[in-house]
Amino acid sequence: MTAPEADHAVVVIIGAGLVGASIGRALVTAGRTVHVEDRVPSHAMVAASRGSGSVEPAAADEVGLVVVAVPPDATPAAVADALERFPHAVVTDVASVKTRVLSELIAAGVDVSRYCGSHPMAGSQHTGPLTADGDLFVDRTWVVTPHRRMEPRAQTVVEQLVADCRARAVEMLCENHDEAVAQVSHLPQLMSSLTAGHLRSVPATHLALAGQGIRDVTRIAGSDPVLWRQIIAANREAVQHELRAVRDDLDALIEHFDDPQAVEDFIARGRIGALSLPGKHGAPSRATVPVVIVIPDEPGALARLFSDIEAAGVNVEDLQIEHDPERQIGYLAVQVVPELAEQLTAQMVAAGRQLR
């Protein structure tokens, strides 16, 4: 099989964690022939049992694409090994820091003409093949990072991978990508961990008052510390730059903390920053208001509620659930555009639902 014929045929996934196994499932659904490898054979077997491909070794000359999905510290060596083992394959990796991988490969004298890095902006705080989801990348951004030593074919093959996973390809230079993820991914992880770490000294009676806000802020603090140590180390300079900027803001807040206007301005800047994030489908964020509906904690409760919302003819912009700490109920905050909030409220009351 020639290299062009192999481009869209046989794929090898190296690393059967959440991202690797999820890519495998997505590619199998897209009709690709996928082989899964992992340094822990049982992980590959679990991934294969959940639809991520086969654990049978691939014929090296038939492989058109290799996806390296291993921890950051192991990525450069795994990419170099894949380029050697699969002589016709384009090799990509999904590491969250790109400059270090490319620079280490070049420094080691590796021919990187068939290498094109990439990074799917999707995942969770969970790990392992049991958490794999073939829909993980649907409509999510997937950064592709071409470089000047690369064959043009390599980028085409990686972009087809992105399309098969039903994600949206965005092209960036390695250094621009690393600066961006420091700002929108790596710094938020550290800030979440900082907030969650402070909870260790909070009395249990105080923690009982915790609502959805603190849970939202600390959700990603449950991520794997070893993995994040590697990510932060690989992007150390960019992350340090962001941390210093946060330190300056915090110092200014403390210095002017007795000034109510300064505190208000601090909160207002945060609100503006939150609204600067893209909204649905990449469009500008829209102002929304919550309609909070009480729902019983029982099977079918959400399905019945969404049926009532459909009857109201109101589009849900976003939603979140907060669980009552004592009663078997939850509070579903349905975010809608302001002009439809009254309409939804009236429908919920007419349906006999309790609002908060």
Side-chain angles (χ1 to χ4, degrees):
M1 179 178 292
T2 65
E5 292 173 332
D7 286 352
H8 307 298
V10 181
V11 181
V12 171
I13 309 287
I14 301 175
L18 166 66
V19 174
S22 296
I23 292 173
R25 291 185 68 173
L27 293 181
V28 168
T29 300
R32 300 277 199 115
T33 299
V34 181
H35 299 262
V36 186
E37 300 181 2
D38 195 282
R39 65 181 182 85
V40 180
S42 61
H43 290 181
M45 293 177 65
V46 170
S49 72
R50 292 181 57 80
S52 297
S54 168
V55 294
E56 294 297 319
D61 287 342
E62 296 179 359
V63 176
L65 172 66
V66 178
V67 181
V68 174
V70 301
D73 283 359
T75 297
V79 169
D81 178 67
L83 287 167
E84 181 177 353
R85 284 198 292 140
F86 304 101
H88 302 303
V90 167
V91 178
T92 190
D93 71 287
V94 295
S96 59
V97 180
K98 310 316 306 179
T99 303
R100 176 178 172 180
V101 177
L102 180 60
S103 62
E104 288 194 11
L105 289 170
I106 292 174
V110 176
D111 178 2
V112 292
S113 60
R114 290 183 287 116
Y115 167 72
C116 178
S118 69
H119 179 208
M121 301 301 295
S124 80
Q125 69 272 32
H126 304 297
T127 59
L130 285 174
T131 61
D133 180 0
D135 293 331
L136 183 65
F137 312 102
V138 174
D139 295 329
R140 303 298 293 270
T141 298
W142 192 315
V143 183
V144 179
T145 56
H147 56 91
R148 61 183 180 83
R149 303 189 185 204
M150 182 189 74
E151 297 174 2
R153 177 179 73 91
Q155 182 171 350
T156 301
V157 172
V158 174
E159 288 177 347
Q160 184 60 53
L161 161 69
V162 176
D164 286 346
C165 291
R166 295 178 289 166
R168 293 180 289 106
V170 173
E171 180 181 326
M172 297 182 77
L173 295 176
C174 290
E175 54 269 28
N176 293 342
H177 164 273
D178 291 354
E179 179 184 15
V181 293
Q183 295 164 336
V184 303
S185 176
H186 303 168
L187 178 66
Q189 172 66 48
L190 292 176
M191 299 305 292
S192 179
S193 297
L194 178 67
T195 303
H198 181 69
L199 296 178
R200 295 175 303 156
S201 60
V202 175
T205 52
H206 296 183
L207 291 174
L209 304 182
Q212 192 59 40
I214 187 66
R215 299 180 194 280
D216 288 344
V217 171
T218 60
R219 178 183 61 82
I220 59 174
S223 301
D224 181 0
V226 175
L227 173 63
W228 272 98
R229 171 186 59 78
Q230 296 182 33
I231 292 172
I232 298 301
N235 205 22
R236 181 174 176 272
E237 291 186 5
V239 176
Q240 271 195 329
H241 176 79
E242 299 304 321
L243 284 172
R244 291 190 182 102
V246 170
R247 181 186 60 190
D248 292 343
D249 286 342
L250 185 58
D251 285 344
L253 175 64
I254 294 171
E255 181 180 354
H256 302 288
F257 203 65
D258 291 334
D259 180 358
Q261 187 59 53
V263 175
E264 180 180 333
D265 291 345
F266 179 86
I267 301 297
R269 286 195 297 273
R271 186 172 187 271
I272 293 170
L275 290 174
S276 69
L277 292 170
K280 294 195 308 182
H281 317 303
S285 293
R286 302 179 65 186
T288 61
V289 295
V291 176
V292 183
I293 308 160
V294 179
I295 56 172
D297 189 2
E298 62 185 31
L302 279 174
R304 294 191 296 271
L305 174 56
F306 283 119
S307 179
D308 290 342
I309 294 174
E310 181 183 10
V314 173
N315 186 56
V316 175
E317 301 296 327
D318 204 350
L319 55 87
Q320 58 184 194
I321 297 178
E322 179 181 351
H323 301 283
D324 191 280
E326 297 180 356
R327 297 184 293 164
Q328 295 297 306
I329 60 173
Y331 307 98
L332 183 72
V334 179
Q335 298 286 342
V336 298
V337 294
E339 57 267 27
L340 295 180
E342 185 175 344
Q343 178 179 330
L344 178 59
T345 298
Q347 175 64 28
M348 293 300 101
V349 172
R353 292 194 173 276
Q354 180 183 352
L355 303 180
R356 187 181 73 171

